[in-house]
């Protein structure tokens, strides 16, 4: 169960990061609200996962999921560049996250 909570928390990191971008410097109320709720839920989930998963493993996986998710949203929905070097770099991050889970 802790691993599912950790993955969900990592996905929520993507939510709050994108909402932070969309808030236009904290000037738009709806993205600000989504940012705050996403951030709180993401941190709470990380805290729950830390009851069963070591901090180094959990934090690295949480950040990795959030970073890859945010980059993917940026490329697919926000018009960010999706060149081959960038995609290969994201694959390496995913490989690292999977490796941390497998060798936990």
């Amino acid at each position: 169960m802790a691993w599912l909570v950790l993955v969900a928390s990592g996905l929520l990191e993507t939510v709050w990061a994108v909402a932070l971008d969309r808030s236009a410097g904290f000037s738009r109320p709806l993205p600000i609200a989504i940012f705050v709720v996403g951030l709180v839920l993401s941190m709470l989930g990380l805290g729950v996962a830390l009851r069963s998963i070591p901090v180094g493993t959990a934090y690295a996986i949480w950040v990795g999921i959030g970073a890859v998710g945010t980059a993917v949203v940026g490329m697919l929905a926000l018009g960010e560049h999706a060149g081959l070097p960038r995609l290969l770099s994201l694959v390496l991050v995913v490989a690292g996250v999977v490796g941390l889970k497998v060798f936990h």
Side-chain angles (χ1 to χ4, degrees):
M1 184 64 155
W3 288 100
L4 291 176
V5 171
L6 183 61
V7 170
S9 296
L11 293 173
L12 283 167
E13 185 182 5
T14 297
V15 169
W16 68 253
V18 173
L20 179 60
D21 175 62
R22 302 284 96 188
S23 76
F26 290 106
S27 64
R28 298 177 58 214
L30 182 58
I32 293 169
I34 293 169
F35 165 75
V36 170
V37 171
L39 179 65
V40 168
L41 291 175
S42 181
M43 292 292 173
L44 286 172
L46 178 61
V48 168
L50 288 174
R51 293 178 187 161
S52 304
I53 303 168
V55 67
T57 301
Y59 184 74
I61 289 172
W62 179 77
V63 169
I65 291 169
V68 170
T70 303
V72 169
V73 169
M75 289 184 284
L76 295 178
L78 305 177
E80 295 179 10
H81 179 66
L84 185 60
R86 187 170 189 195
L87 294 172
L88 290 174
S89 296
L90 291 174
V91 168
L92 290 172
V93 173
V94 170
V97 167
V98 170
L100 286 170
K101 167 60 174 126
V102 168
F103 300 113
H104 167 69

